[in-house]
Amino acid sequence: QIDNANVATPPDGQSGRMQMFLWHQPHTAFPNEDPFIAAMGSDEADIVYHENTHGLSNRLVVDAQGNSTLGGGQAGAMGEAWSDWYAMDYLVDQGLQQDTSADGEVRIGNYVGWGNDLIRTQPLDCPVGSTSPSCPGNTPFGGPLSGGYTYGDYGQIIGQVEVHADGEIWGETLWDLRNAVGSNTAEDLITRAMELSP
């Protein structure tokens, strides 16, 4: 695979498996034929933390047999959002990712994407109503600048239901929560909520 990373998380007690891939198709021209730089997924901290967080959420949101219930649709989007959120929350807390009062700074895949929104359609810190050019909202379908996504954008971000794109809705909502209550409280609320998910 190219331009990807993933993790398999079987029930607790069994080893998971993380896979990091090359983020540029070999023998293609950069950036015209493949816009990602030639790097491994493990070269980008937020990709590694994102995949590790799948291990957390897939072990906390489970059925009675301990199997993850985060496959497909809205549940899968929530899993992607948690992974984006925890990765960037950690990097901001460590001072490794800038997050000032300006909207549109917290990009997923900033390194492999060469400073562009190639992995997600916009940064994680795009609140609803933002007028920042970095936070266009649902403009691919002809709308005005609308800032962050809302639940009304479900299935519309890239024109179809897709867990990574729709995860941006929940991820931006979680970033709003972080801004409202602080990182530590948000971490506690989000992690405990996973344990309570039916």
Side-chain angles (χ1 to χ4, degrees), residues 129-139 143-147:
S130 174
T131 58
S132 170
S134 296
C135 301
N138 205 355
T139 55
L145 284 179
S146 60

mmCIF file of all heavy atoms in Angstrom, residues 129-139 143-147:
data_model
loop_
_atom_site.group_PDB
_atom_site.id
_atom_site.type_symbol
_atom_site.label_atom_id
_atom_site.label_comp_id
_atom_site.label_asym_id
_atom_site.label_seq_id
_atom_site.Cartn_x
_atom_site.Cartn_y
_atom_site.Cartn_z
ATOM 1 N N GLY A 129 -18.385 28.296 11.685
ATOM 2 C CA GLY A 129 -18.483 29.728 11.477
ATOM 3 C C GLY A 129 -17.169 30.430 11.253
ATOM 4 O O GLY A 129 -17.133 31.634 11.007
ATOM 5 N N SER A 130 -16.052 29.703 11.298
ATOM 6 C CA SER A 130 -14.757 30.321 11.061
ATOM 7 C C SER A 130 -14.700 30.906 9.650
ATOM 8 O O SER A 130 -15.207 30.317 8.704
ATOM 9 C CB SER A 130 -13.631 29.306 11.231
ATOM 10 O OG SER A 130 -12.387 29.871 10.878
ATOM 11 N N THR A 131 -14.063 32.056 9.541
ATOM 12 C CA THR A 131 -13.871 32.665 8.221
ATOM 13 C C THR A 131 -12.435 32.510 7.732
ATOM 14 O O THR A 131 -12.056 33.101 6.720
ATOM 15 C CB THR A 131 -14.252 34.158 8.258
ATOM 16 O OG1 THR A 131 -13.452 34.803 9.250
ATOM 17 C CG2 THR A 131 -15.729 34.335 8.566
ATOM 18 N N SER A 132 -11.635 31.712 8.435
ATOM 19 C CA SER A 132 -10.255 31.489 8.015
ATOM 20 C C SER A 132 -10.212 30.759 6.673
ATOM 21 O O SER A 132 -10.943 29.780 6.477
ATOM 22 C CB SER A 132 -9.519 30.655 9.066
ATOM 23 O OG SER A 132 -8.262 30.229 8.570
ATOM 24 N N PRO A 133 -9.370 31.198 5.751
ATOM 25 C CA PRO A 133 -9.222 30.467 4.484
ATOM 26 C C PRO A 133 -8.752 29.023 4.694
ATOM 27 O O PRO A 133 -8.967 28.180 3.831
ATOM 28 C CB PRO A 133 -8.163 31.263 3.719
ATOM 29 C CG PRO A 133 -8.119 32.597 4.369
ATOM 30 C CD PRO A 133 -8.547 32.399 5.789
ATOM 31 N N SER A 134 -8.136 28.731 5.837
ATOM 32 C CA SER A 134 -7.707 27.374 6.142
ATOM 33 C C SER A 134 -8.871 26.483 6.549
ATOM 34 O O SER A 134 -8.713 25.272 6.654
ATOM 35 C CB SER A 134 -6.678 27.389 7.278
ATOM 36 O OG SER A 134 -5.516 28.074 6.877
ATOM 37 N N CYS A 135 -10.034 27.083 6.801
ATOM 38 C CA CYS A 135 -11.216 26.350 7.273
ATOM 39 C C CYS A 135 -12.386 26.556 6.319
ATOM 40 O O CYS A 135 -13.374 27.221 6.659
ATOM 41 C CB CYS A 135 -11.591 26.829 8.671
ATOM 42 S SG CYS A 135 -10.299 26.632 9.911
ATOM 43 N N PRO A 136 -12.312 25.996 5.112
ATOM 44 C CA PRO A 136 -13.357 26.279 4.120
ATOM 45 C C PRO A 136 -14.688 25.599 4.384
ATOM 46 O O PRO A 136 -15.690 25.957 3.786
ATOM 47 C CB PRO A 136 -12.741 25.777 2.817
ATOM 48 C CG PRO A 136 -11.825 24.687 3.240
ATOM 49 C CD PRO A 136 -11.264 25.145 4.570
ATOM 50 N N GLY A 137 -14.708 24.603 5.264
ATOM 51 C CA GLY A 137 -15.964 23.898 5.484
ATOM 52 C C GLY A 137 -16.371 23.122 4.255
ATOM 53 O O GLY A 137 -15.541 22.585 3.547
ATOM 54 N N ASN A 138 -17.651 23.114 3.987
ATOM 55 C CA ASN A 138 -18.200 22.273 2.928
ATOM 56 C C ASN A 138 -18.225 22.972 1.577
ATOM 57 O O ASN A 138 -19.216 22.934 0.872
ATOM 58 C CB ASN A 138 -19.606 21.814 3.328
ATOM 59 C CG ASN A 138 -19.990 20.519 2.643
ATOM 60 O OD1 ASN A 138 -19.261 20.017 1.801
ATOM 61 N ND2 ASN A 138 -21.126 19.988 3.011
ATOM 62 N N THR A 139 -17.135 23.626 1.205
ATOM 63 C CA THR A 139 -17.098 24.349 -0.068
ATOM 64 C C THR A 139 -17.027 23.473 -1.318
ATOM 65 O O THR A 139 -17.385 23.952 -2.381
ATOM 66 C CB THR A 139 -15.931 25.348 -0.110
ATOM 67 O OG1 THR A 139 -14.720 24.656 0.161
ATOM 68 C CG2 THR A 139 -16.135 26.451 0.894
ATOM 69 N N GLY A 143 -20.909 25.706 -1.384
ATOM 70 C CA GLY A 143 -21.328 26.566 -0.290
ATOM 71 C C GLY A 143 -20.326 27.658 -0.013
ATOM 72 O O GLY A 143 -19.188 27.624 -0.478
ATOM 73 N N PRO A 144 -20.726 28.667 0.759
ATOM 74 C CA PRO A 144 -19.796 29.726 1.154
ATOM 75 C C PRO A 144 -18.840 29.206 2.221
ATOM 76 O O PRO A 144 -19.020 28.108 2.748
ATOM 77 C CB PRO A 144 -20.722 30.801 1.728
ATOM 78 C CG PRO A 144 -21.884 30.014 2.258
ATOM 79 C CD PRO A 144 -22.060 28.859 1.306
ATOM 80 N N LEU A 145 -17.824 30.009 2.543
ATOM 81 C CA LEU A 145 -16.959 29.636 3.660
ATOM 82 C C LEU A 145 -17.822 29.416 4.887
ATOM 83 O O LEU A 145 -18.600 30.281 5.268
ATOM 84 C CB LEU A 145 -15.931 30.733 3.946
ATOM 85 C CG LEU A 145 -14.749 30.829 2.989
ATOM 86 C CD1 LEU A 145 -13.849 31.985 3.398
ATOM 87 C CD2 LEU A 145 -13.950 29.552 2.972
ATOM 88 N N SER A 146 -17.709 28.241 5.482
ATOM 89 C CA SER A 146 -18.576 27.929 6.612
ATOM 90 C C SER A 146 -17.813 27.434 7.815
ATOM 91 O O SER A 146 -18.405 27.024 8.791
ATOM 92 C CB SER A 146 -19.618 26.886 6.198
ATOM 93 O OG SER A 146 -18.976 25.689 5.778
ATOM 94 N N GLY A 147 -16.485 27.440 7.744
ATOM 95 C CA GLY A 147 -15.709 27.004 8.903
ATOM 96 C C GLY A 147 -15.842 25.529 9.148
ATOM 97 O O GLY A 147 -15.841 24.731 8.217
#
